[in-house]
Amino acid sequence: MIYMQSENLKHKRTFVTKLIILAPVVTVLMNIFAPLWFQINSFNWWYVLLYPGFLTLLCALIEQRDSGKLKYRAVFPLPVSLTKVWKAKIGMSGIYLVLGNLLFLALNLAGGFTILMVHELPLTVGVWQTAAGVICIILVSLWEVPLCLWVSNRLGIFFAVFLNVGVGSVLGIFMATSNLWVICPYSWVPHLMIYVLGILPNGEPVAGGGKQIPYMTILFTVLFALLFFVILTNLSAQKFERQEAK
């Protein structure tokens, strides 16, 4: 917890904390002029493009805080555990992502109920359905945190954004509806949203009002994603521990 608190102090009053609010708010504002499709569109924009961008930029900024001009010279000489330093970065990134997703959840539901009162249009995504969708997005995307931190550390912010947002989003969209979705981690979230929210990766509702929810598929995808997160966390922590100040 000491390492986590230290990491959190580094980012107070920085763009990182502003990004937690900015990303969900921008997502919601992009869809307020289409009340009938507000919830579906905001969810689709969120998990397909804006959330991956939010996650990548957040992780890159957190990592670059120490590796910018200083190249970790202010960290490596200290009598601290480099493994714990790295895991604290992963932990704080995860907490910030949860906060951003919770804000998106609140704004999505608030917008849905506002539309219900003003336009008398029912919620297109129910309360529990919305909560389940956000929980799946958080848990199934956590593996991207250690990956983005490590890519940013080794190759820089630009390559992290290119990989996770550019390549990742395209792969996720195209493979989510194929039989090979399970072998592409980027397709796990959009594939689960087909069942949890009844939304296809292109933003269209699933034909026929949705598919039967395969609970075991969802459960195993979440568990495998969490296992993948643990593996990437430990591997990246071991690599980070072997670094030396440049």
Side-chain angles (χ1 to χ4, degrees), residues 45-224:
W45 275 100
W46 179 244
Y47 70 79
V48 167
L49 184 61
L50 290 171
Y51 175 65
F54 165 52
L55 184 153
T56 306
L57 188 57
L58 182 77
C59 292
L61 291 174
I62 287 175
E63 199 281 326
Q64 291 291 313
R65 187 72 175 173
D66 286 320
S67 70
K69 294 181 178 180
L70 294 177
K71 302 296 182 184
Y72 282 101
R73 293 190 189 95
V75 176
F76 289 153
L78 298 176
V80 296
S81 168
L82 294 182
T83 298
K84 291 181 180 179
V85 169
W86 185 255
K87 289 184 177 180
K89 291 183 182 296
I90 295 174
M92 287 313 306
S93 299
I95 290 173
Y96 292 155
L97 291 176
V98 170
L99 293 176
N101 273 285
L102 291 178
L103 178 57
F104 170 78
L105 170 64
L107 292 174
N108 185 278
L109 288 175
F113 281 113
T114 301
I115 291 169
L116 174 62
M117 291 185 293
V118 175
H119 300 283
E120 298 184 354
L121 296 172
L123 295 177
T124 52
V125 183
V127 176
W128 294 112
Q129 201 178 5
T130 304
V134 168
I135 291 172
C136 284
I137 290 171
I138 293 171
L139 296 179
V140 179
S141 65
L142 276 178
W143 65 269
E144 297 178 45
V145 172
L147 175 67
C148 288
L149 286 169
W150 181 246
V151 171
S152 177
N153 175 267
R154 304 305 295 176
L155 302 173
I157 292 180
F158 175 79
F159 196 84
V161 173
F162 173 76
L163 173 66
N164 212 56
V165 182
V167 177
S169 294
V170 173
L171 283 177
I173 292 172
F174 281 100
M175 297 194 68
T177 55
S178 74
N179 294 329
L180 299 176
W181 68 271
V182 71
I183 67 173
C184 177
Y186 287 106
S187 69
W188 294 346
V189 169
H191 183 80
L192 292 191
M193 294 304 103
I194 296 174
Y195 302 107
V196 178
L197 301 176
I199 305 173
L200 294 171
N202 61 5
E204 296 181 1
V206 175
K211 298 184 178 181
Q212 184 178 1
I213 299 177
Y215 292 103
M216 293 306 296
T217 298
I218 295 173
L219 176 61
F220 279 114
T221 303
V222 170
L223 291 177
F224 191 77

